[in-house]
């Protein structure tokens, strides 16, 4: 009997078990009608471990982040949809396929890998997928972007912009594209090693040529998962995690530890090289993904989801030296920060709470990035949409749309006991008003053990499902290319 892979994480169990396959399907089953004006490709990246992540200490120090990157492409045209899925052929994926087993341990930790693979790039390319300068890029934060052919999904390599970014160097999973200039704005941290405090911001123009490279030192290392761009600034937000190889070697320790005595850091990086990089801080919390951002009256204004404490239960917590009680349940809200780049104080004022319920993965109509916008779309949680009590709080189960003008939150449930992944917005036509278009997202239909791509028309609020019976593609990033 052949058994499916097991895992220590619900991310890869049940309906979310690893897929471990390349696949192509034409004429997917459709419920409803796909709007004829929707033409293009919806790309999605997933965490899909090909082998059990059990090389180092039996997998006890492995996290879901260590899984291999797998890209899905849903091609939509003339009211029909086809599907193609391919693994990103990273150096580590190919090395493990050749060996027939896991060879890598904890990411960015060479001593936890098999000696035969320690010189290879340790990059899983599993967190986001974007298109820039005509190149389809799979991103994984701790390594260089991997390029794939946008049509065949063949892996081209991991030096998509020769001479513009460091070879094999870390690069963010969440760069931003300026809709006015076409610039790709991104950064990398820990270039000199996981315990290093260095960070560099790069800007590549619409053709992939570097126009800015700005290195700076952070007060402490830690996760810098997402960023903000405005006309004149880049803002990086850092989670309060400490990095320590020595801590990983201890029985209950890990490379990354959430430290309740650390603040949240915001690094304000001017595009003008004549102005200094500034470090601001707020109370201990965990900023995750950003939404709208712009400048107004000399201030930088940006929205982000923020967790009250460690939102990664698989990573340890160093309790505050002043704490005398058990930690409270983690909450995640959507908030708005205002930072003056010239402020005398480096302490950030408390943000405005926009959405006070569990929510994540904010997306806006990205034609309006760097400008004041009206709508944000995201995943959220509504307990009324859970029929099975066993699924309560297992994940986000609804799509939400927040209107900044009316301060109204609208919630749409795709059905009972389903989970939703990160949405992606496509305007109905190039000059369409903000929010006039289609919200596309992957739905985990847990009762039916399948995935559904849902297309939500934002004016009529009509839900259309493109359905294929596939295991869950658990992931963060998505993009839609016409």
């Amino acid at each position: 009997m052949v058994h499916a892979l097991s895992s220590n994480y619900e991310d890869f169990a049940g309906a979310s078990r690893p897929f471990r396959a390349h696949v192509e399907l034409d004429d997917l089953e459709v419920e409803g009608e796909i709007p004829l004006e929707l033409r293009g490709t919806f790309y999605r990246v997933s965490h899909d471990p090909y082998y059990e992540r059990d090389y180092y200490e039996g997998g006890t120090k492995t996290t879901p982040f260590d899984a291999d990157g797998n890209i899905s492409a849903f091609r939509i045209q003339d009211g029909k949809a086809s599907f193609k899925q391919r693994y990103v052929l990273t150096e580590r994926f190919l090395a493990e396929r050749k060996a027939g087993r896991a060879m890598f341990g904890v990411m960015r930790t060479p001593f936890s890998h098999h000696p035969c693979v320690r010189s290879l790039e340790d990059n899983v390319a599993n967190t986001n997928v974007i298109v820039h300068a005509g190149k389809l890029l799979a991103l994984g934060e701790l390594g260089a972007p991997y390029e794939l052919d946008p049509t065949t999904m063949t892996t081209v390599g991991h030096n998509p912009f020769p001479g513009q970014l460091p070879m094999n160097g870390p690069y963010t999973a969440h760069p931003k594209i300026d809709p006015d200039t076409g610039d790709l704005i991104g950064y990398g941290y820990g270039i000199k090693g996981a315990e290093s405090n260095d960070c560099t911001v790069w800007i590549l123009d619409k053709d992939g040529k570097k126009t800015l490279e700005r290195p700076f030192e952070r007060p402490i290392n830690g996760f810098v998962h997402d960023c903000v761009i405005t006309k004149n600034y880049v803002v990086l937000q850092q989670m309060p995690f400490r990095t320590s190889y020595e801590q990983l070697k201890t029985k209950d320790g890990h490379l990354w530890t959430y430290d309740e005595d650390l603040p949240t850091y915001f690094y304000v990086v001017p595009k003008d090289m004549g102005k200094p990089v500034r470090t601001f801080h707020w109370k201990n919390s965990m900023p995750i993904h950003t939404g709208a951002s712009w400048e107004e009256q000399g201030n930088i204004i940006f929205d982000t989801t923020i967790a009250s404490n460690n939102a990664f239960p698989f990573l340890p917590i160093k309790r505050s030296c002043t704490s005398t009680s058990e930690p409270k349940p983690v909450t995640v809200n959507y908030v708005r920060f205002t930072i003056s780049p010239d402020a005398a104080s480096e302490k950030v004022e408390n943000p405005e709470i926009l959405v006070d319920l569990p929510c994540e993965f904010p997306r806006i109509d990205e034609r309006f990035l760097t400008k004041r916008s009206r709508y944000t779309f995201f995943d959220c949680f509504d307990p009324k949409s859970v029929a099975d009590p066993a699924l309560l709080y297992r994940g986000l189960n609804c799509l939400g749309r927040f209107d900044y003008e009316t301060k109204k939150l609208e919630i749409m449930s795709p059905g009972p006991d389903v989970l939703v992944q990160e949405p992606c917005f496509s305007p109905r036509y190039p000059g369409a008003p903000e929010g006039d278009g289609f919200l596309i997202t992957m739905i985990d239909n847990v009762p039916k053990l399948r995935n559904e791509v849902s297309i939500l028309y934002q004016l009529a609020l009509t839900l259309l499902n493109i359905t294929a019976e596939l295991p869950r593609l658990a992931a963060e990033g998505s993009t839609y290319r016409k």
Side-chain angles (χ1 to χ4, degrees):
M1 179 179 293
V2 178
H3 295 277
L5 289 182
S6 62
S7 175
N8 295 328
Y9 303 101
E10 287 188 356
D11 303 64
F12 308 127
S16 304
R17 66 191 182 277
F19 193 23
R20 304 182 69 231
H22 294 251
V23 67
E24 293 186 37
L25 294 170
D26 292 325
D27 282 338
L28 300 182
E29 177 187 348
V30 176
E31 299 174 7
E33 295 182 0
I34 302 175
L36 294 179
E37 62 264 52
L38 187 63
R39 303 179 63 184
T41 303
F42 174 56
Y43 293 104
R44 193 70 173 158
V45 64
S46 66
H47 296 178
D48 195 342
Y50 195 85
Y51 292 108
E52 191 78 50
R53 308 312 312 164
D54 58 359
Y55 175 73
Y56 181 67
E57 294 191 5
T60 57
K61 298 296 181 74
T62 300
T63 75
F65 300 148
D66 291 297
D68 299 298
N70 206 338
I71 307 293
S72 303
F74 292 87
R75 306 192 191 282
I76 300 171
Q77 185 172 347
D78 300 328
K80 296 183 178 182
S82 63
F83 169 75
K84 181 179 287 189
Q85 181 165 310
R86 294 287 186 272
Y87 272 100
V88 185
L89 302 184
T90 62
E91 288 189 0
R92 63 178 274 163
F93 179 81
L94 292 175
E96 292 190 336
R97 284 294 303 271
K98 185 176 181 179
R101 62 186 178 95
M103 301 281 280
F104 288 80
V106 179
M107 287 191 299
R108 302 221 70 192
T109 313
F111 69 79
S112 73
H113 307 332
H114 190 284
C116 292
V117 300
R118 289 177 184 175
S119 64
L120 299 183
E121 185 190 35
D122 185 10
N123 179 11
V124 286
N126 67 3
T127 308
N128 199 5
V129 56
I130 66 168
V131 175
H132 184 66
K135 300 175 186 288
L136 179 66
L137 306 175
L139 306 173
E141 187 161 320
L142 302 180
Y146 267 84
E147 179 185 354
L148 287 78
D149 184 285
T151 302
T152 66
M153 309 291 287
T154 303
T155 300
V156 176
H158 56 111
N159 189 22
F161 307 112
Q164 311 306 302
L165 297 173
M167 277 288 293
N168 300 336
Y171 188 76
T172 176
H174 290 291
K176 298 292 189 290
I177 296 177
D178 188 314
D180 295 323
T181 65
D183 289 343
L184 178 69
I185 303 172
Y187 59 93
Y189 64 94
I191 298 171
K192 302 174 184 177
E195 293 183 320
S196 173
N197 295 352
D198 68 87
C199 188
T200 300
V201 170
W202 296 280
I203 298 181
L204 307 184
D205 68 15
K206 60 183 179 61
D207 300 315
K209 301 298 182 182
K210 180 170 59 181
T211 60
L212 183 140
E213 180 176 65
R214 183 145 202 192
F216 66 95
E217 289 291 317
R218 300 172 290 159
I220 191 171
N221 59 47
F223 288 142
V224 186
H225 185 60
D226 204 354
C227 70
V228 168
I229 66 168
T230 66
K231 181 179 180 181
N232 297 296
Y233 296 94
V234 183
V235 181
L236 313 183
Q237 50 182 29
Q238 180 169 305
M239 303 174 181
F241 282 86
R242 290 187 183 273
T243 308
S244 169
Y245 287 128
E246 292 303 317
Q247 189 66 28
L248 175 62
K249 296 176 182 178
T250 64
K251 180 181 178 181
D252 298 319
H254 202 279
L255 177 63
W256 297 287
T257 301
Y258 188 95
D259 190 335
E260 292 185 340
D261 287 321
L262 287 178
T264 291
Y265 286 109
F266 297 104
Y267 306 117
V268 175
V269 184
K271 297 178 184 178
D272 182 349
M273 293 290 288
K275 295 183 178 180
V277 175
R278 295 201 60 189
T279 298
F280 293 85
H281 59 85
W282 192 55
K283 70 177 184 178
N284 182 265
S285 58
M286 185 173 165
I288 310 174
H289 295 107
T290 63
S293 58
W294 69 93
E295 293 174 38
E296 190 173 292
Q297 298 179 345
N299 294 322
I300 300 170
I301 301 173
F302 64 94
D303 304 338
T304 186
T305 53
I306 196 159
S308 59
N309 202 278
N310 180 21
F312 296 153
F314 44 83
L315 293 178
I317 300 176
K318 177 182 177 295
R319 298 302 313 280
S320 172
C321 59
T322 61
S323 177
T324 59
S325 60
E326 289 298 314
K328 297 179 180 179
V330 178
T331 59
V332 181
N333 300 135
Y334 193 52
V335 303
R336 173 167 293 173
F337 282 99
T338 299
I339 296 178
S340 171
D342 302 318
S345 173
E346 294 182 343
K347 184 178 180 181
V348 176
E349 296 296 325
N350 289 337
E352 174 189 359
I353 297 177
L354 302 174
V355 178
D356 187 15
L357 84 167
C359 60
E360 241 288 51
F361 303 120
R363 296 296 288 264
I364 67 169
D365 184 336
E366 292 175 355
R367 297 173 300 162
F368 293 83
L369 192 62
T370 75
K371 305 173 182 66
R372 176 185 280 273
S373 56
R374 178 170 179 175
Y375 299 109
T376 292
F377 312 98
F378 44 74
D379 299 342
C380 56
F381 179 78
D382 180 6
K384 295 189 296 294
S385 299
V386 180
D388 183 355
L391 296 176
L392 196 64
Y393 299 115
R394 184 175 175 183
L396 301 173
N397 61 2
C398 293
L399 292 169
R401 179 175 68 177
F402 183 72
D403 186 332
Y404 293 108
E405 289 190 9
T406 64
K407 304 296 184 182
K408 182 179 179 181
L409 173 66
E410 296 175 283
I411 294 178
M412 187 281 296
S413 170
D417 297 335
V418 304
L419 302 176
V420 295
Q421 298 182 22
E422 180 179 8
C424 181
F425 182 83
S426 176
R428 192 159 56 91
Y429 57 93
E434 181 191 356
D436 180 2
F438 306 97
L439 193 65
I440 310 170
T441 192
M442 185 76 76
I443 305 297
D444 299 340
N445 193 324
V446 178
K448 294 184 178 181
L449 297 180
R450 72 183 189 186
N451 277 165
E452 301 169 356
V453 175
S454 290
I455 303 170
L456 181 64
Y457 180 39
Q458 283 303 295
L459 290 185
L461 292 181
T462 301
L463 179 64
L464 307 174
N465 286 327
I466 307 169
T467 304
E469 294 194 13
L470 302 169
R472 186 168 89 102
L473 306 177
E476 292 187 12
S478 62
T479 191
Y480 182 79
R481 189 184 76 158
K482 291 192 173 183

